[in-house]
Amino acid sequence: MRIRNMTMDDYDRVYNLWINTPGMGMNDIDDSREGIGKYLGRNPGTCFVAEKDGAIVGVILCGHDGRRGFIYHLAVDVQERNRGIGTALVDAAVEALRKEGITKAALVAFSNNETGNAFWEKRGFTVRNDLVYRNKSLL
């Protein structure tokens, strides 16, 4: 297995992995080819894929605003889980953030995604009960 930076050439295979991963939530605009292209353009060194025998078996989107890091859309092929791929992707993303001077990272996970939340808890990402997540469509 090899971890490398994600490029737009990976989009179709990554999107296929996302839509076939239980617990993922996708957005028609942000997760479109154009949306991911913008994200990779702003964060070229912090997004990664895991490849095994030429297939993409894992992905993580990660970026920052100059102050805080943000992690999105970590997914590992169901057949490849429990082999360290997710941890390797998180480690790559966290190290990339550190190299860019970022000292804290955040993420959002659906509350009913038990597998995902257990994964993040094991990696030291704690729940913040003092915050309310809010969003607003700008369309």
Side-chain angles (χ1 to χ4, degrees):
M1 191 233 0
R2 173 176 92 115
I3 304 289
R4 64 168 175 78
N5 284 109
M6 181 180 169
T7 70
M8 278 308 295
D9 291 340
D10 300 318
Y11 178 79
D12 291 330
R13 295 183 297 157
V14 164
Y15 190 81
N16 186 56
L17 177 59
W18 283 333
I19 64 172
N20 287 295
T21 299
M24 290 292 296
M26 306 301 294
N27 177 297
D28 291 341
I29 297 171
D30 298 334
D31 300 321
S32 68
R33 182 178 299 277
E34 181 181 348
I36 296 300
K38 284 187 213 176
Y39 194 82
L40 290 178
R42 289 183 53 89
N43 302 284
T46 55
C47 299
F48 298 91
V49 294
E51 285 184 314
K52 180 180 175 188
D53 300 325
I56 290 180
V57 295
V59 60
I60 190 169
L61 294 184
C62 182
H64 66 85
D65 61 7
R67 198 173 147 263
R68 292 284 184 262
F70 300 95
I71 296 172
Y72 304 95
H73 290 0
L74 171 67
V76 174
D77 185 298
V78 174
Q79 303 299 319
E80 299 293 334
R81 290 189 178 172
N82 298 310
R83 297 181 181 166
I85 295 169
T87 299
L89 287 164
V90 171
D91 290 348
V94 166
E95 184 56 29
L97 289 173
R98 283 187 181 124
K99 285 180 181 176
E100 295 197 21
I102 304 302
T103 60
K104 190 180 230 183
L107 61 92
V108 175
F110 288 109
S111 59
N112 64 353
N113 183 349
E114 293 178 17
T115 301
N117 282 300
F119 173 87
W120 291 115
E121 190 73 26
K122 283 183 184 177
R123 275 135 203 95
F125 286 80
T126 58
V127 173
R128 293 278 311 258
N129 292 317
D130 59 328
L131 300 175
V132 173
Y133 177 80
R134 298 180 187 268
N135 86 42
K136 177 180 180 177
S137 174
L138 303 179
L139 296 177

